Amino acid sequence: MTTRPARAETPLASLATVARAAGVSVATVSRIVNGKRGRASAETVARVEQAVARLGYRPNPVGRALKQRASRVVALLAPNLDNPAMAAIAVSTEAALRDAGYVTILCDTHDRAELQDEYLAAMRSQFVAGYVMVSAVASRGLEATLRRGDPMVFVARRSPLGGGAFVGIDDRAAGAEAADHLLDRGVARPAVLMAAQNASSTGERAAGFIARLEQRGLAPQEIRRASAQGLNHIEIGYAAARALVAEGGWPQGLFCVSDLIAYGAYRLAREAGVAVPGDCRMVGVDGNAINAWLAPWLTSIRIPYEAFGGHIVAQLGQLWGGGTGSHVHVRHGRIGDEPPAA
Amino acid sequence: MTTRPARAETPLASLATVARAAGVSVATVSRIVNGKRGRASAETVARVEQAVARLGYRPNPVGRALKQRASRVVALLAPNLDNPAMAAIAVSTEAALRDAGYVTILCDTHDRAELQDEYLAAMRSQFVAGYVMVSAVASRGLEATLRRGDPMVFVARRSPLGGGAFVGIDDRAAGAEAADHLLDRGVARPAVLMAAQNASSTGERAAGFIARLEQRGLAPQEIRRASAQGLNHIEIGYAAARALVAEGGWPQGLFCVSDLIAYGAYRLAREAGVAVPGDCRMVGVDGNAINAWLAPWLTSIRIPYEAFGGHIVAQLGQLWGGGTGSHVHVRHGRIGDEPPAA
DNA sequence: CTGAAAGCGCTTACAG
DNA sequence: CTGAAAGCGCTTACAG
């Protein structure tokens, strides 16, 4: 029977504990723990490291944050995490931040300006190292944070106030590819479904789609489009499809600016007995992992959300280094690409 | 043209700033800000409150945490947030904690003991107020945290080490209801699909299902069951269904211990040309919002994840109050219930 | 009713 | 190479 090492693990060891145990000052322990090299004799370093190991010491981030007025915490603000795309962004961001030694505070803004401001203020007093704004909405607090120059990267939706680092795909190009895809398959008059108040991302997808259609010879008034109010893209898809169909029947091809919108449109098609893709081809954007299992009828432009985290952290790194950050276009998948195996 | 109020919003105001502005001591400001009633004259209170408003002061949680060795931060540890059920739990927990004045730190453990321990240790040194463990895994750090008596509530999966507050549904009852449902619809020999290493939740669902089948007259060896290795329930569902079918063909009715497993099984059915529910009825558990749109063929037992947050916070409240916490069974929906409108 | 002081855990000039 | 001291923002006995 092995005896468990009698480690005093209950009390949280502090610098002072370690200093006492090693017979040195807290300043010395602090320097060694923080790897300030060449500032202590090898013998001292060894004694301190032993004490650290024996006591299971870990630097207290709260004490450090208070002193430095800066923490290793990053705030992730997002509207509704129940959207699979948001969840995927949150997952990859959390993992990338963790690898970089940061911890993620999760703030669900429900797309509301006051809640976003409330969180922004609360996070600021936590001395967070930066802000990751997924689909941010315009607000006074956002403006103040930006003006202050605090590290902030926008994801998916560009800064509603201009400026700021950005990570997302080239949405206009994605829209154009959807247009090409449908046109190339003989759909003479593809239609587009979008939200009434489009985020920059979905708005640009629709714009890119329409622009390409015009380039390839359709007159603006020939391009059918419909939208619906709301926050939930599935319901928007259903309602927008109904509006579209009411006006001119089912199109042969339909570009949905998000996969969720396509799911909503699909329900209407099912109810109407319209075969997808037989009677109506559908192209979405996101490439949700679930598609292969539940929506084999959907062709989607895959957004590699699993790669966003790395780019987001790289942008934060630039900002922390005093740089200005930039707009990163992550390369989206080719139409119909499936996600990599888990 | 309205002039913006000249509020010095850039520097973060501290107690000292406010004290100076109001001409009182920091102790007095602290008491007033913290609502310690009857400890200051009405006149002083008014002066301080004015200064607070004018300077836009908010108490700094870092200073407070350091002093009190306790913060208003709660750690939420979960394996993979890309599971819609996990995301739903995270959303409702974050909202309920926010309403209670807490902030949520998100930790994705990937179901790995070392990562869970790493986070547990990191969160402890953040002086978190408590831990919400969604589907926790056994680990040394978990044991230490539990032994220390730190506030911890387990969600969905019971504590792998026993003890602890718990929030989840009555999984055995859910399994039994699935058995009744299939039997009552004339399925003579319903089968069950599960994961190879079952969490307490899914394990109990399967056990409840099997027990009810036996109660209603099936011999143990008549009850078909299959499982598969892995973490991803969709893939488990696909593989387990294949194993089941290889052994004895398609059953007329199939209980899948989670909706995701049902999605996986459905893909195999689709590939095999088996109609669902025509040839094979499927019953899942979770009631994912997406089902109504993408999986109308699935009958599911809905888990009201949106209500979990409130119960979790209530449990934490009990623990904070010195209570012991309890096992809360949230009432699950009746088979086939749809989620409430958003 | 109010304030001075100590101390939570840390870092960092400064002095030696 | 090392330590004493100040200070980040806060709370809380203690004294008056």
Side-chain angles (χ1 to χ4, degrees), chain B residues 178 191-194 205 237 254-263 265 282-285 298:
Chain B
V192 57
L193 253 35
M194 51 201 164
R205 287 171 205 162
L254 193 51
F255 175 48
C256 302
V257 297
S258 74
D259 280 357
L260 288 180
I261 287 184
Y263 301 164
M282 289 194 191
V283 174
V285 181
L298 178 63

Side-chain angles (χ1 to χ4, degrees), chain A residues 221-280:
Chain A
Q221 69 279 9
E222 285 182 305
I223 303 172
R224 301 178 59 196
R225 58 199 92 179
S227 63
Q229 296 285 341
L231 279 181
N232 184 322
H233 267 208
I234 295 202
E235 279 158 18
I236 288 175
Y238 186 78
R242 186 149 53 186
L244 184 84
V245 169
E247 219 173 76
W250 280 89
Q252 285 185 283
L254 193 52
F255 174 48
C256 302
V257 297
S258 74
D259 281 357
L260 289 180
I261 288 184
Y263 302 165
Y266 177 74
R267 183 177 188 164
L268 190 72
R270 179 160 33 86
E271 291 171 356
V274 170
V276 180
D279 299 330
C280 172

